[in-house]
Amino acid sequence: MIGILGAGAFGTALAVTLGREQPVTLWARRGVAKLELELPPLVRLTSDIETVTEPTVLLAVPMQALGGLLREHAAQLEGRALVACCKGVDLATGHGPTALIAEACPRATAAILTGPSFAADIARGLPTALTLATADEAAGEALQRQLSTATLRLYRTTDTVGAELGGALKNVIAIAAGVVIGAGLGQSARAALMTRGYAEMQRLALALGARADTLAGLSGLGDLVLTCTSEQSRNFRYGQALGAGAGFDPAVTVEGRATAAAVVALAARREIDMPITAMVDALIDGRVTLPQAIQTLLSRPLKQE
Ligand SMILES: NC(=O)C1=CN([C@@H]2O[C@H](COP(=O)(O)OP(=O)(O)OC[C@H]3O[C@@H](n4cnc5c(N)ncnc54)[C@H](O)[C@@H]3O)[C@@H](O)[C@H]2O)C=CC1
Ligand SMILES: O=C(CO)COP(=O)(O)O
């Protein structure tokens, strides 16, 4: 029995796949995301959050909405297994999803589900592998069993910092990859950018206590590859529009935008060099033009890989 808060693309896709095998309550603040598939009969849809009483609750709202949702419903959610399904860094605090859960609900099990997966693929039952991270080994094993399905294969880790930073930082690099393709800079440039982007992801994550093998896994490298190479990704498409000087629907969830600003602040505090992330943030803000951003990255001192 699983509760899911948030009926956007990801929350609804998770309800579809999990609801094929077990009862799910899906809370929608407004409507349910449009997917090609029907919700299975085991999924109960509700607009009353008070009726979500399951001991395991997936939090499938955008990152910048997570803190507010947790604070507003802390009393109701306290003590349960809370699994964040969002990718990003909270702009207000600089914290990741599991820290926000621990702050609002200190007695809850704080976990994160992250890794390479498009909602539409999960909903269609295509094979997908994700990372489930929680500091509590026994709770992690139970959640891994509960949330794996015939087509959704979960790997588990206790490295919550690595898992959540991999998912957060790759979105910023995916925007940069989109810019490269949108501006017509070519696929060689994208490969270089992904590789140097991965280097700066590792730099920050390791400084914040992540393990290198987590970054090299599904939630880091795996999701970086998916998001930087597919037009299914909203972060990539947003970058493409930025690179091509085209408009982009502001209502679409693009997690890398706010996360870029949050990460620039985090990296500055620790004096960690993140040139691609800094350029993405400056480009989004209009503090640099695209030619200036490219020139800045290409004219950095030559150094060892
Ligand atoms: N769409 C995808 O393929 C995947 C998305 N994710 C992650 O899932 C998270 C959610 O993304 P999507 O579902 O794709 O976004 P979405 O834009 O499709 O849906 C977001 C949902 O959250 C709801 N929402 C927003 N603010 C809220 C609030 N304050 N309280 C309650 N509900 C609120 C919206 O009404 C909407 O239903 C993001 O962090 C994203 O990175 C992760 C893997 C795949
Ligand atoms: O996180 C995702 C794939 O793993 C979804 O990417 P977008 O949020 O860029 O669409």
Side-chain angles (χ1 to χ4, degrees), residues 87 115-118 170-171 174 223 226-227 232-237 253-255:
K87 297 176 180 174
S117 67
F118 289 122
K170 65 86 192 177
N171 277 336
D223 212 355
L226 179 71
T227 319
Q232 276 195 74
S233 159
R234 297 160 296 188
N235 286 281
F236 181 79
R237 286 203 309 274
T253 299
V254 179
E255 292 288 36

Side-chain angles (χ1 to χ4, degrees), residues 140-151:
E141 274 181 45
L143 285 171
Q144 180 184 32
R145 271 194 307 275
Q146 190 183 18
L147 301 176
S148 289
T149 71
T151 54

Side-chain angles (χ1 to χ4, degrees), residues 6-11 27 29-31 33 60-63 65 69 85-87 115 117-120 171 234 253 255:
F10 200 38
W27 172 68
R29 190 180 53 158
R30 295 189 188 121
V61 295
M63 182 66 212
L69 179 81
C85 299
C86 44
K87 297 176 180 174
S117 67
F118 289 122
N171 277 336
R234 297 160 296 188
T253 299
E255 292 288 36

Side-chain angles (χ1 to χ4, degrees), residues 72 76 113 133 171 175 192 195-196 236 240 266 276 303:
E72 192 177 340
Q76 186 195 341
L113 182 64
N171 277 336
I175 293 178
T195 311
R196 296 312 304 164
F236 181 79
Q240 266 185 317
L266 261 184
I276 298 171
K303 54 186 189 183

Side-chain angles (χ1 to χ4, degrees), residues 100-270:
L100 294 188
I101 292 173
E103 282 153 24
C105 302
R107 286 187 288 106
T109 296
I112 178 157
L113 182 64
T114 184
S117 67
F118 289 122
D121 293 348
I122 289 195
R124 286 171 61 207
L126 301 181
T128 316
L130 295 179
T131 301
L132 185 280
T134 176
D136 179 335
E137 182 84 52
E141 274 181 45
L143 285 171
Q144 180 184 32
R145 271 194 307 275
Q146 190 183 18
L147 301 176
S148 289
T149 71
T151 54
L152 179 60
R153 182 175 166 78
L154 299 198
Y155 289 77
R156 136 185 127 249
T157 177
T158 53
D159 181 10
T160 52
V161 174
E164 59 192 19
L165 278 174
L169 300 173
K170 65 86 192 177
N171 277 336
V172 181
I173 307 303
I175 293 178
V179 170
V180 164
I181 298 302
L185 301 179
Q187 303 208 9
S188 304
R190 170 167 55 185
L193 183 127
M194 285 170 65
T195 311
R196 296 312 304 164
Y198 182 59
E200 71 183 52
M201 284 169 65
Q202 275 189 316
R203 229 167 11 242
L204 181 70
L206 297 189
L208 293 176
R211 293 205 318 252
D213 58 348
T214 311
L215 265 287
L218 292 164
S219 58
L221 184 60
D223 212 355
L224 179 74
V225 170
L226 179 71
T227 319
C228 289
T229 60
S230 172
E231 288 192 357
Q232 276 195 74
S233 159
R234 297 160 296 188
N235 286 281
F236 181 79
R237 286 203 309 274
Y238 169 71
Q240 266 185 317
L242 212 55
F248 196 82
D249 181 353
V252 172
T253 299
V254 179
E255 292 288 36
R257 246 182 334 214
T259 292
V263 170
V264 165
L266 261 184
R269 253 178 270 144
R270 291 175 184 257

